[in-house]
Amino acid sequence: MPLDIVMLGPPGAGKGTQAARLAKHYGIPAISTGDMLREAVQAGTDLGSRVKAVMDRGDLVGDDLMIEIVRERLARADTANGFVLDGFPRTRPQAGALDAMVNEGGLSIIDIAVPAEELVRRLSSRRICRDCAAIADPASVERGATSCATCGGMLVQRSDDREQVVRERLAVYERNTKPLLDYYRDRPSFRTIDGLQPPDAVFGAIAEAIDGMAAPGGGDKVRTPLVPEGPRPGAAG
Ligand code: AMP
């Protein structure tokens, strides 16, 4: 069975940081829809010009477009053993579409919970690498780091991490994305993790939750596979 992980939680909860760590730990790709869109904006593609204004005001890109982007991405061969989705789904239609793309009983859904005041604080001091999009360690940013620990690229603030846009993004989260917790809550493979812990502890708690779900009787994924093992429908190289 592929290990298909969905990261839920408000902006600034640590989804991106933890998705990257989980991807490395389990040997599966981290798929960040925000990173994909920012790359398109930076590269000046047609997609980039369609989404830039929406992103700059902290709003959501349309469901049909997002669903198509994710459908194409999940059809790539590197997802054969699973993926960590960061930033998708963000709306009820996106969640429904994802269930139709994968074995829905096989999704491991991780919600990272962090109170709103802490999110504003984290987002307004967050820096990312201009070149590789890695999220900088907040402690080193506080000590004055200006270059990326991974690739040496310049650390910059995301244009939507300015306080006014942050507030709009948090409102959009409350309105559109938080209701997804009710959509997923009753599934045996749904877990909420305390995102106020130090990053290493958050990672440990998530990995423990995921490994527990994969254990016999831990979740619903190994007991009754809904689809036979093998390439995903429509998977291509
Ligand atoms: P993120 O990096 O996940 O915070 O995403 C940055 C921005 O990209 C969001 O504020 C949205 O404008 C857009 N975006 C990313 N993922 C989605 C999605 N699944 N649905 C709609 N808009 C998205």
Side-chain angles (χ1 to χ4, degrees):
M1 287 281 284
L3 181 56
D4 297 344
I5 304 171
V6 171
M7 306 297 289
L8 291 180
K15 299 189 298 295
T17 298
Q18 298 298 338
R21 290 185 65 163
L22 291 166
K24 202 164 159 195
H25 182 74
Y26 291 110
I28 51 181
I31 299 176
S32 156
T33 47
D35 280 352
M36 291 168 80
L37 296 174
R38 275 185 293 278
E39 269 168 38
V41 170
Q42 231 170 11
T45 63
D46 180 47
L47 169 66
S49 59
R50 284 167 69 189
V51 300
K52 184 175 187 316
V54 176
M55 291 177 76
D56 279 347
R57 56 172 195 267
D59 226 327
L60 293 183
V61 173
D63 285 333
D64 291 351
L65 182 55
M66 290 312 305
I67 289 166
E68 229 18 71
I69 289 172
V70 169
R71 190 193 308 285
E72 272 176 34
R73 181 64 189 83
L74 295 189
R76 278 167 52 184
D78 66 344
T79 66
N81 293 324
F83 54 75
V84 190
L85 258 183
D86 158 25
F88 186 98
R90 263 181 157 95
T91 65
R92 176 64 182 76
Q94 291 180 15
L98 179 63
D99 278 341
M101 283 178 222
V102 300
N103 162 20
E104 66 175 68
L107 284 179
S108 302
I109 302 126
I110 302 293
D111 169 44
I112 308 184
V114 173
E117 324 77 78
E118 169 69 5
L119 297 170
V120 177
R121 198 187 64 73
R122 286 188 189 180
L123 289 167
S124 33
S125 58
R126 175 163 74 177
R127 296 294 180 270
I128 64 164
C129 174
R130 193 184 54 180
D131 298 333
C132 77
I135 301 160
D137 170 28
S140 55
V141 171
E142 217 164 277
R143 286 194 300 270
T146 54
S147 56
C148 173
T150 311
C151 78
M154 192 200 283
L155 296 180
V156 295
Q157 181 172 44
R158 271 173 50 172
S159 56
D160 60 353
D161 277 347
R162 281 167 295 131
E163 187 167 337
Q164 203 187 342
V165 186
V166 161
R167 297 206 181 272
E168 176 59 23
R169 287 165 59 210
L170 292 176
V172 166
Y173 169 80
E174 288 289 326
R175 194 165 57 233
N176 298 286
T177 309
K178 205 172 176 186
L180 289 184
L181 298 181
D182 292 330
Y183 179 72
Y184 286 125
R185 200 181 306 278
D186 292 339
R187 298 192 188 185
S189 52
F190 173 89
R191 296 286 186 284
T192 296
I193 304 291
D194 172 10
L196 276 178
Q197 310 171 79
D200 285 350
V202 174
F203 175 75
I206 296 174
E208 191 181 278
I210 289 172
D211 295 344
M213 290 175 209
D220 65 352
K221 54 197 303 176
V222 287
R223 274 182 283 141
T224 46
L226 298 177
V227 292
E229 292 203 25
R232 291 170 196 285

